Amino acid sequence: MGSFSVGEIKFRGRRFFSSVSFFLVMTGLLGACSVGPRYHPEHVALPAHYHEDDASDQDFRPQELVQWWQQFHDPVLDHLIQQAFDYNHDIRATAQRVLVAHALRDIEASQWYPQIDFSSLNGDLMKSTSLSNAMPRIDDLPRDPHASMLSYGFGASWQIDLFGRIGHQVDAHDKMIAQAQENRHAIMLTVLAEVARNYMTLRGTQHRLAIMEQHIRTARHLHERAIRLQRAGVGNTLHVAQTASLLHTQQSQRAVLCKTISQSMHALEILVGRLPGSLRAELTSTVPLPRVPPAPRTLPVRLLRHRPDIRRAERAYAQAMDEIGTEVAGMYPDLVLPLTYNPNASTFSQLFAAGAQAWQALAMTSLPLGHGGRQQARVRSAQAIAEAGRLKYHQQILTALREVEDAIVAWNGKKTHVGLLHQAAQQSRLANQRSRRLYEAGISDLLNVLETEQSALRAEDTELCAHIDWLHRTVDLHVALGSGWESRS
């Protein structure tokens, strides 16, 4: 079978189609010849007390660490965190950025497929008759300068990824998707920690306010007693002024605590995507202060691997390695197959005739030969960026280890601090009670009562502040371990 023709168009037969088939098979095989480096995960040495995960290890409690806020046994806190996961605007915005990263990856992956377009053209043409060569004659008969034109066509362009340039670009965008996901995880972890911290501050300040109210009642009682004694002629104005000063000082401190409570409520409302004031009825009532859960006794490696900043740095390093492959592939030949089919005619009946058909099938190859070393410089730049990414990844691991160790030291130190302050507060309350009884019996002076009252208030308030800080240190410890976001990832 040689060739056959339809009108003026000739089509090659078996030899033509065999050549095309062979060409497509060869380009497919060459497409597997990807150049450039490939990413291999880095292995980082960790301290001896960080161990590999073992299912038989009873000290490793995934559920307690992943959903660590449940260890405070506070249903209001659990509800607020679930609302933050669902309605926080920062978390929802980062989810959209993940979708953007997926769309950008699909844009790059579209280069793997033929790019096909359709076009059409129809209308009238009018040629100028004022030009000497505008009216050629055939058999001494002039042509009509008017013409109608109908045209439609398909254009296709297929870029063959011989050396993996497109593949490296798609892989790089896959790493960008992973980075966008880790950014979302980091935002989730930040929002989770802020909800927990503000809630601990709110509950602790409410207890500080309750203690302040007790001391204000005591100060008011002392002030009223001093006034009665002064009026009875057995007291003096000095005692009245001293008790009034104590009362006004404590009342001013109460105003500061009320402001802190309102600010903490507003912060929680914004974090859960609500308007300020919408959670006041739910948060106003005073509940027992959350108990501090025990810290994890061992540190599995998996916990550090779950930190979003470490995972994001690792994916950034992997993306930089793919960028090297993209630049290296740019030094090799680029093959594009442009195909067009574009019939032209003046009438609709002629548009599908053999004489109106027009098409072309080409193979375009380009190879950068001399650009002053530009492509080589791009490769060196990509290599330097990748090395910087590798170093940043290792530095991020070291930073995470430092934060974990600092969080453990702070947690243990605060535990000891709270225990000692609790004993001091108990002794101050006992001294204050004895001082008031002695004063009521007329044995002790009012000055001793005022001093022990202020000392007891400071001790109790300092203990509560330390307990709130201990709760914050617990949150910081779990943030340093990177736990929490996995529950709703």
Side-chain angles (χ1 to χ4, degrees):
M1 180 177 179
S3 63
F4 63 93
S5 62
V6 178
E8 298 297 327
I9 302 178
K10 294 185 178 181
F11 295 86
R12 291 181 175 85
R14 182 180 302 168
R15 181 180 303 173
F16 172 78
F17 293 107
S18 298
S19 301
V20 172
S21 300
F22 175 77
F23 175 76
L24 293 177
V25 171
M26 291 302 297
T27 54
L29 293 176
L30 288 174
C33 301
S34 178
V35 297
R38 288 293 179 182
Y39 170 75
H40 298 286
E42 292 275 334
H43 296 283
V44 182
L46 295 176
H49 58 282
Y50 289 83
H51 65 86
E52 292 293 339
D53 300 336
D54 185 1
S56 62
D57 184 7
Q58 300 300 322
D59 292 334
F60 178 53
R61 297 164 294 172
Q63 186 64 23
E64 286 76 0
L65 293 175
V66 170
Q67 295 183 335
W68 51 265
W69 57 87
Q70 295 183 354
Q71 303 309 304
F72 292 104
H73 301 289
D74 192 317
V76 177
L77 176 61
D78 297 342
H79 179 63
L80 289 174
I81 286 180
Q82 296 304 320
Q83 283 190 312
F85 276 132
D86 293 333
Y87 302 112
N88 180 269
H89 294 297
D90 290 329
I91 294 177
R92 297 172 69 182
T94 55
Q96 298 303 311
R97 296 188 185 102
V98 174
L99 297 179
V100 171
H102 277 282
L104 293 176
R105 186 265 181 197
D106 293 340
I107 292 174
E108 293 295 333
S110 66
Q111 300 179 74
W112 270 326
Y113 306 99
Q115 311 298 304
I116 303 174
D117 301 291
F118 172 79
S119 62
S120 64
L121 177 67
N122 61 84
D124 294 329
L125 302 176
M126 176 66 182
K127 292 186 177 181
S128 174
T129 59
S130 299
L131 297 176
S132 60
N133 60 351
M135 298 292 294
R137 297 173 177 273
I138 301 177
D139 298 331
D140 296 329
L141 295 176
R143 282 185 184 170
D144 187 356
H146 298 86
S148 296
M149 183 175 182
L150 299 174
S151 176
Y152 71 95
F154 294 92
S157 178
W158 188 13
Q159 185 171 358
I160 307 300
D161 193 21
L162 293 177
F163 299 100
R165 181 185 63 83
I166 300 176
H168 281 298
Q169 290 179 341
V170 173
D171 290 341
H173 276 77
D174 285 334
K175 310 305 188 301
M176 292 177 63
I177 293 174
Q179 291 179 61
Q181 291 173 337
E182 297 309 325
N183 286 332
R184 180 170 179 263
H185 297 160
I187 293 295
M188 294 169 69
L189 187 58
T190 300
V191 171
L192 166 64
E194 286 301 310
V195 170
R197 290 191 188 100
N198 280 279
Y199 184 78
M200 304 307 177
T201 300
L202 170 65
R203 293 311 189 194
T205 307
Q206 286 175 337
H207 280 266
R208 292 176 62 194
L209 180 61
I211 291 177
M212 183 64 68
E213 294 287 356
Q214 294 177 0
H215 284 273
I216 288 175
R217 287 193 293 269
T218 301
R220 184 178 289 110
H221 171 72
L222 292 174
H223 180 58
E224 292 173 351
R225 177 181 173 84
I227 293 176
R228 288 195 303 268
L229 292 176
Q230 190 266 338
R231 289 176 179 175
V234 294
N236 54 56
T237 57
L238 175 61
H239 290 172
V240 174
Q242 287 175 331
T243 55
S245 175
L246 176 64
L247 176 61
H248 294 155
T249 300
Q250 293 179 353
Q251 287 175 339
S252 67
Q253 294 173 349
R254 178 178 61 183
V256 174
L257 295 178
C258 291
K259 182 193 72 171
T260 302
I261 290 174
S262 296
Q263 291 175 340
S264 299
M265 286 185 182
H266 296 161
L268 286 170
E269 288 159 348
I270 299 304
L271 286 169
V272 300
R274 305 282 290 276
L275 293 174
S278 57
L279 295 179
R280 180 167 295 274
E282 182 179 354
L283 299 176
T284 299
S285 59
T286 302
V287 299
L289 198 64
R291 297 178 59 184
V292 180
R297 288 176 291 175
T298 57
L299 298 174
V301 175
R302 191 176 71 89
L303 293 179
L304 281 181
R305 290 173 181 165
H306 277 195
R307 279 186 56 133
D309 53 351
I310 294 179
R311 293 157 61 96
R312 181 175 55 217
E314 187 269 340
R315 290 292 85 192
Y317 172 40
Q319 177 193 351
M321 295 296 293
D322 284 313
E323 297 291 350
I324 297 177
T326 300
E327 300 301 339
V328 171
M331 303 173 64
Y332 288 81
D334 196 10
L335 177 62
V336 180
L337 302 179
L339 307 174
T340 59
Y341 175 68
N342 187 226
N344 295 278
S346 295
T347 63
F348 185 79
S349 59
Q350 296 175 340
L351 191 59
F352 300 97
Q357 307 305 304
W359 59 276
Q360 66 176 7
L362 305 173
M364 299 174 58
T365 304
S366 62
L367 174 65
L369 294 179
H371 295 278
R374 180 178 61 185
Q375 194 62 32
Q376 291 82 353
R378 292 173 66 93
V379 172
R380 293 197 304 273
S381 174
Q383 290 172 338
I385 293 174
E387 178 62 16
R390 187 185 71 85
L391 295 175
K392 184 177 180 180
Y393 170 54
H394 283 264
Q395 182 60 40
Q396 197 67 54
I397 294 177
L398 294 178
T399 301
L401 291 173
R402 186 205 68 191
E403 291 178 355
V404 171
E405 297 296 335
D406 289 348
I408 293 175
V409 170
W411 191 90
N412 289 326
K414 188 56 66 174
K415 178 182 179 181
T416 304
H417 186 210
V418 169
L420 294 174
L421 288 177
H422 179 68
Q423 296 178 10
Q426 285 182 331
Q427 295 300 320
S428 295
R429 284 192 293 268
L430 181 60
N432 188 29
Q433 292 172 1
R434 291 175 177 175
S435 176
R436 286 204 306 268
R437 285 199 297 265
L438 293 175
Y439 175 70
E440 295 290 342
I443 301 175
S444 176
D445 186 73
L446 178 62
L447 181 60
N448 293 329
V449 177
L450 297 179
E451 289 178 352
T452 56
E453 176 68 24
Q454 291 176 336
S455 177
L457 175 60
R458 284 194 301 268
E460 291 176 316
D461 191 67
T462 302
E463 180 195 2
L464 267 175
C465 289
H467 195 90
I468 296 171
D469 194 44
W470 191 18
L471 291 169
H472 288 176
R473 298 289 79 76
T474 305
V475 176
D476 294 341
L477 175 58
H478 287 90
V479 171
L481 294 174
S483 56
W485 60 265
E486 309 99 309
S487 61
R488 296 295 296 273
S489 61

